[in-house]
Amino acid sequence: MRPAVRAALAVLGIGVAAGLGYGAWQGLRSLAFFKLRRVEVLGLEHGDARAVVAALRLPVGASTFDRLGDLGARVAALDGVAEATVERRLPGTLVVRVREREAVALVPAARRLALLAADGTLLPFPASRGAVDLPVLETPDSLAARFLARLGDEAPALFARVERGRREGEDMVLEEQGRRWRFRAAAGGEAFRDGAAVAADLARRGIAWRELDARLEGQVVVRRAGA
């Protein structure tokens, strides 16, 4: 783009930020230079960009100087989307930034694996879309989903090791490579750190284990392999 054109667009951007009069705004909308040519969707991991564009419901002949209004809210209303914003990139592009609801597990559903959100509800995205490496829960469970969300936030290295999980009453049982971890379903950072520290110490000492039980506050019970 020529320097003169870039300078003109910069001036226009300042004018937009300052607030254009109705007549000036309408004049810009009518210019072919600002005709909408492209919609760029950013932030999708599992969703379909075509569904995002369809949700905008843009009219034929739209301009980048059309009012943005509730475009972001229209995208945010899509199932599986947490929030969305829409902004202009002059001269002819709309940029849609999407944050999807976080998936914390996979669960069996209708003869396939479905993505489970942190609140225990199923997400509408195909589990096969993208590289999904999440623990598998036996059933959708809001308490288990919240536990896994905390585990992912507070102990991501441990979360990455978990292959399967299930809730047993007020407890969570996690499985990885033939070994089990036990936590209270309401457990948080301290229990996660204690369990990870014990597992690291056992690995340094070359001690094989089959279960680490971190359900007691301040303690981790080790059940050794073969015991």
Side-chain angles (χ1 to χ4, degrees):
M1 185 179 294
R2 297 192 303 276
V5 176
R6 284 199 296 268
L9 292 178
V11 171
L12 283 172
I14 293 171
V16 171
L20 293 171
Y22 180 76
W25 193 283
Q26 289 296 98
L28 291 173
R29 289 181 63 200
S30 67
L31 294 177
F33 185 64
F34 296 113
K35 179 180 174 62
L36 182 62
R37 300 174 182 84
R38 174 183 172 88
V39 176
E40 185 175 337
V41 180
L42 305 177
L44 288 182
E45 183 177 358
H46 306 293
D48 190 334
R50 292 170 297 182
V52 171
V53 174
L56 295 172
R57 302 195 297 277
L58 297 169
V60 175
S63 166
T64 47
F65 274 97
D66 288 345
R67 302 289 184 181
L68 297 181
D70 63 350
L71 294 184
R74 293 178 188 177
V75 176
L78 289 172
D79 194 12
V81 174
E83 61 183 25
T85 60
V86 180
E87 60 191 45
R88 301 177 180 88
R89 182 187 294 156
L90 298 176
T93 301
L94 287 182
V95 179
V96 185
R97 301 182 188 277
V98 177
R99 182 172 67 83
E100 294 176 329
R101 294 173 62 202
E102 181 185 9
V104 298
L106 298 167
V107 293
R111 299 183 181 178
R112 63 181 178 89
L113 288 176
L115 293 168
L116 189 71
D119 63 357
T121 60
L122 296 179
L123 294 172
F125 314 123
S128 58
R129 188 185 297 274
V132 178
D133 187 13
L134 294 170
V136 177
L137 285 178
E138 292 182 350
T139 58
D141 185 302
S142 59
L143 191 61
R146 290 194 295 271
F147 171 90
L148 289 174
R150 288 195 304 277
L151 185 66
D153 289 340
E154 299 173 15
L158 175 54
F159 178 84
R161 294 163 57 177
V162 177
E163 298 166 354
R164 303 186 66 86
R166 66 182 183 276
R167 184 163 66 89
E168 296 182 351
E170 298 301 312
D171 299 335
M172 283 296 301
V173 179
L174 310 178
E175 299 179 6
E176 56 107 356
Q177 297 182 349
R179 300 181 295 196
R180 290 190 302 272
W181 301 71
R182 291 185 182 270
F183 294 96
R184 292 297 185 192
E190 184 175 355
F192 300 154
R193 288 190 294 272
D194 289 347
V198 170
D201 180 64
L202 293 173
R204 283 193 299 270
R205 295 161 59 189
I207 298 175
W209 55 275
R210 61 183 177 85
E211 183 175 280
L212 293 183
D213 188 339
R215 290 176 295 177
L216 297 177
E217 185 176 354
Q219 299 182 44
V220 178
V221 177
V222 179
R223 295 180 176 89
R224 299 179 62 167

